[in-house]
Amino acid sequence: PPGASTFADDVDTLHALVIGVAMLGATAVALVSLFLLRRYRASDRDPTISVPRWAMPARLEAVLVGIVSASFLGWWLMGVRQYDRMRDPPGDAIQIYVVAKQWMFDYPNGQTQADVLTVPAGRPVSLVMTSRDVIHSLFVPAFRVKYDVLPDRFTTIWFQATEPGEYPILCAEFCGTGHSTMRGTVRVLDPADYEAWLEQAP
């Protein structure tokens, strides 16, 4: 889905870059293979004449290995920077506790919601998560965030939604017979509407 968090563009860019380069490489290998298959097919060759063996020059091989290695290192560095940024919530993030038994959300004012996470747009939100039964994985596709939720442990993710709206929450870890129904919604409100919602909450 279209990105709706501050992480989305960076994640999409890295994903498109890796997939694009991989597809270009695979296409080049396929085209060269087809050319060689036609060029050296057995029906056009005198079986008494051997095909000359070609060895790649060491300098060219070093250049190709360097390009591939630099590409993988660049992608790794981009991924590590994204991961570090996504793991450490800002100090002013709103902290909400999540209990995976389906999805239960506990807010700082004491309110609890089932299957609906209400947050403000434009403010960081930190989710402190644990499970009461098995391993789950909270996944919000529009925010490009996903992290495992474990029994007897706390894990944390954070995000900052950019646009008001409603975005689906999925469980990305097979957790039993009710896995397909373990869904929820992130409801993103304007900051003023969020404050009004908090005041009206019982």
Side-chain angles (χ1 to χ4, degrees), residues 68-86:
V68 172
S69 299
S71 298
F72 276 96
L73 181 61
W75 297 333
W76 179 80
L77 288 172
M78 291 175 66
V80 166
R81 290 182 62 186
Q82 288 183 16
Y83 179 80
D84 286 344
R85 182 177 168 222
M86 296 171 78

Side-chain angles (χ1 to χ4, degrees), residues 89-108:
D92 61 342
I94 301 169
Q95 192 172 80
I96 299 172
Y97 285 88
V98 181
V99 179
K101 53 168 188 176
Q102 297 296 321
W103 299 115
M104 296 291 295
F105 304 102
D106 296 327
Y107 296 86

Side-chain angles (χ1 to χ4, degrees), residues 131-143:
S131 170
R132 286 195 179 176
D133 40 36
V134 297
I135 298 175
H136 301 276
S137 186
L138 188 141
F139 178 34
V140 185
F143 296 167

Side-chain angles (χ1 to χ4, degrees), residues 48-60:
T48 62
I49 301 175
S50 62
V51 176
R53 184 176 179 181
W54 180 80
M56 179 180 290
R59 183 174 297 179
L60 177 58

